[in-house]
Structure formats: C-alpha cells, structure tokens
C-alpha cells in the first residue's frame, strides 16, 4: 500500500461501521492517525435498520491499531457542535494536528411523501445537513492552524445529484450537502483546503440491513415505475465500502491537488439512468 498520508491526522464521522470505518481504516493503512466519532447508539425513530454500537466503534479502533496507527474514538453526535469541538480540541492536543476530514455520518428513512412525518424530515436535516455543517465548522480552524492546508470530503449520495424516490427528506439533505461542498470549497480555498463531495450509489453496509429492504419495497409499491431510478449500467448493482474509501482516499490525497468543489459519483452510472 502506498503511504500518501504519513504524518497526517484525519477526522471521520460515522466511523463505527460501514463506509466510515472503511475510510478510517484506509487512511490509517496509508499512514494517517485517526479521530473517529460516532453516535454508536440508537438512531432516530423511523430508521428501519439497526443502530451502531460502542462495540462497533471499538472494532474500528482495533483495526486502526492493528495497522500501528494512533486512534482516538468519541461516542458523540454530529448534531452536538460543542461536543464535537471538545473532542477535536482533545484529539488535536493528543495527535498534534488535523489535516483531513470526512463528514460521513448520515441517516436514511424511506417514506412516501405523505408518510413522511415532520420529525423524520427534521431528524434527516439535523443529522445529514446540520451535522455536516457542524463537522466542517468544528474542524476547519484546526486544519487552518496546521498551516499546511488540507482536504475534506463531504458524503452526499446519488440522491444529492439526481434524486431518490420516496426520500424527499433524504434527497433534500443530500442536495444541501452538494451545495455546501461548493460553498465551503470557495471560502476555505484561500487556506489551501480542498472540499469535495462523494456521491455513492447503493453500498453494501449495515444501512441496508434490518428492515431497510422491507421499507423500500413498501414505498416502491406505491408507484412501481419510480423503483428503477437507481438502476446501474454495470453489475453488481452495489458498491462496497472499500470502493468508496478508494475514492475518498484519492480525493484527500495529493493526486487530487487541483480538484476542489467537485462532486464525485461512485454509483455504477445510476445518476444518469
Ligand atoms: N449505504 C448506501 O447505500 C449509501 C448510499 C449513498 C449515500 N450513503 C451515505 O453514506 C454515509 C455512510 O453511510 P453507511 O452506508 O456507511 O451507513 P451506516 O448506517 O452503516 O453508517 C453510518 C454511521 O453514521 C453514524 N451516525 C448516524 N447518525 C449519527 C449522528 N447523529 N452522529 C454521529 N454519528 C451518526 C451511525 O451510528 C453509523 O455508524 C451516509 O451519509 C449515507 O447517507 C449511503
């Protein structure tokens, strides 16, 4: 494995499992020390898949330590700006600096437009939009203070470029992340910080577990012709967390030095189907 992140420190939200864990382990495997934050506890009502646990977050730490890298974990909520600031202050004091950020934490609740409750809409915006804003706002001062610039990836979705049927709240939140990426890239550019977004298609993670498939089938039944909107041009129709981590590592690396305010799809072509 090449070592593109030796001497760097990366902050990843939603790092207990799924894509967030893959990003953390991938960056560590290329030399980065890791600050890993996750709720590691109950997700909001209406989320149809299982929640992550403290054991999941501990497993992420174990995999990073097995690579001989340093890691600090925090059971925290991306909605809690002050809590995130405290963790980052502690993390930077201990690990020395902060260079790379992956705002990955998010939730997804399938529901038709008339079954979506105000609470589902609010929870989705609070975590997927305000949580991403909090992540950048809490971390950017540390990256700037490091004096060497840095890079961030904000996790959106193919729902942040096209749309995902029966997920008006999720689609709205992920489009907001796309816009935020461009706007943060513009202002943080003068500090040498690049900001790009990742737009996964379907990815095999615990988000697809529990009763997620049942919830999607339920919504699809209300208007079957919309169900094919996430069709890919290639098979299999799902990506892996490691494939997402490949893209994130590229965007964070020096190979992407001239890439900022860009929105990289890793979705098998689904955005154009
Ligand atoms: N899996 C997919 O098919 C898919 C597709 C497109 C985009 N995405 C996006 O990718 C990102 C990662 O998703 P994943 O597939 O790894 O799902 P996942 O549910 O396996 O992992 C998400 C992690 O985020 C954490 N999290 C949720 N709310 C949080 C909060 N308020 N504070 C802190 N942590 C919180 C969870 O505990 C969990 O560990 C999400 O933003 C998701 O919307 C996923």
């Amino acid at each position: 494995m090449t070592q593109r992140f030796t001497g760097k420190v990366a902050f990843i939200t939603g790092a207990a499992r799924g894509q967030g864990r893959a990003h953390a382990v991938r960056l560590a495997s290329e030399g980065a020390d890791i600050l890993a934050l996750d709720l590691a506890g109950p997700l909001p009502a209406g989320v149809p898949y299982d929640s992550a646990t403290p054991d999941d977050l501990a497993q992420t730490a174990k995999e990073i330590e097995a690579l001989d890298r340093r890691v600090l974990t925090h059971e925290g909520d991306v909605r809690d700006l002050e809590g995130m600031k405290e963790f980052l202050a502690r993390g930077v004091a201990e690990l020395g600096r902060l260079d790379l950020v992956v705002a990955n934490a998010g939730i997804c609740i399938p529901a038709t437009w008339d079954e979506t409750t105000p609470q589902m809409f609010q929870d989705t915006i609070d975590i997927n939009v305000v949580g991403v804003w909090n992540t950048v706002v809490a971390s950017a001062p540390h990256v700037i203070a490091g004096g060497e610039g840095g890079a961030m990836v904000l996790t959106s979705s193919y729902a942040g470029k096209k749309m995902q049927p029966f997920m008006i709240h999720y689609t709205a939140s992920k489009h907001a992340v796309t816009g935020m990426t461009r706007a943060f890239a513009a202002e943080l550019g003068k500090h040498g910080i690049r900001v790009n977004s990742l737009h996964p298609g379907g990815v095999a993670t615990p988000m697809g577990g529990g009763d997620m498939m049942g919830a999607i089938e339920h919504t699809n039944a209300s208007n079957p012709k919309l169900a094919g909107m996430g069709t890919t041009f290639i098979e299999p129709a799902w990506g892996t967390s490691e494939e997402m981590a490949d893209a994130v590592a590229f965007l964070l690396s020096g190979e992407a030095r001239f890439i900022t305010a860009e929105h990289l799809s890793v979705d098998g072509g689904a955005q154009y189907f």
Side-chain angles (χ1 to χ4, degrees):
M1 187 65 77
T2 48
Q3 294 285 303
R4 292 178 290 185
F5 306 114
T6 303
K8 307 282 186 200
V9 177
F11 171 45
I12 297 132
T13 67
R17 67 182 192 184
Q19 295 176 58
R21 179 190 286 167
H23 300 329
V25 171
R26 176 57 186 268
L27 296 176
S29 76
E30 293 202 43
D33 290 329
I34 305 294
L35 298 172
L37 179 147
D38 201 292
L39 192 59
L43 294 168
V47 170
Y49 49 90
D50 296 336
S51 301
T53 65
D55 281 352
D56 290 326
L57 188 55
Q59 177 62 26
T60 297
K62 212 168 139 189
E63 293 183 25
I64 293 164
E65 280 160 358
L67 293 163
D68 241 359
R69 298 316 324 158
R70 292 181 295 170
V71 56
L72 256 70
T73 60
H74 179 58
E75 289 172 27
D77 194 324
V78 292
R79 291 167 288 189
D80 173 12
L81 179 59
E82 290 313 311
M84 203 170 346
K85 281 183 176 172
E86 280 167 28
F87 173 55
L88 286 172
R90 192 159 53 83
V92 170
E94 198 152 324
L95 299 184
R97 52 184 302 107
L98 182 63
D99 308 276
L100 311 169
V101 178
V102 187
N104 161 83
I107 60 164
C108 182
I109 308 175
T112 59
W113 70 272
D114 52 350
E115 286 178 351
T116 304
T117 64
Q119 194 61 49
M120 284 177 192
F121 194 91
Q122 192 67 56
D123 288 337
T124 302
I125 297 299
D126 285 348
I127 294 176
N128 294 8
V129 182
V130 181
V132 169
W133 185 83
N134 285 344
T135 303
V136 178
V137 164
S139 58
H142 294 290
V143 182
I144 293 168
E148 293 179 13
M152 303 190 180
V153 174
L154 314 188
T155 299
S156 176
S157 167
Y158 100 98
K161 281 193 173 178
K162 186 188 187 179
M163 49 79 65
Q164 200 152 348
F166 317 117
M167 291 190 199
I168 290 168
H169 43 340
Y170 188 74
T171 295
S173 75
K174 293 302 190 180
H175 272 71
V177 171
T178 310
M180 222 189 315
T181 299
R182 251 175 257 164
F184 269 125
E187 290 197 49
L188 295 179
K190 78 170 188 179
H191 302 289
I193 300 173
R194 298 180 296 101
V195 186
N196 294 294
S197 53
L198 178 77
H199 298 259
V203 188
T205 70
M207 188 178 266
D211 194 31
M212 186 63 154
M213 290 309 153
I216 289 174
E217 278 164 27
H218 167 76
T219 54
N220 284 353
S222 73
N223 191 347
K225 75 176 179 188
L226 298 185
M229 289 195 71
T231 302
T232 56
F233 295 150
I234 52 175
E235 297 294 335
W238 293 82
T240 65
S241 292
E242 289 68 31
E243 287 165 338
M244 302 305 136
D246 286 342
V248 165
F250 164 70
L251 287 172
L252 293 177
S253 77
E255 290 163 34
R257 187 205 64 81
F258 204 46
I259 302 177
T260 194
E262 188 52 273
H263 314 293
L264 181 61
S265 285
V266 187
D267 69 353
Q271 65 169 321
Y272 293 116
F273 189 81

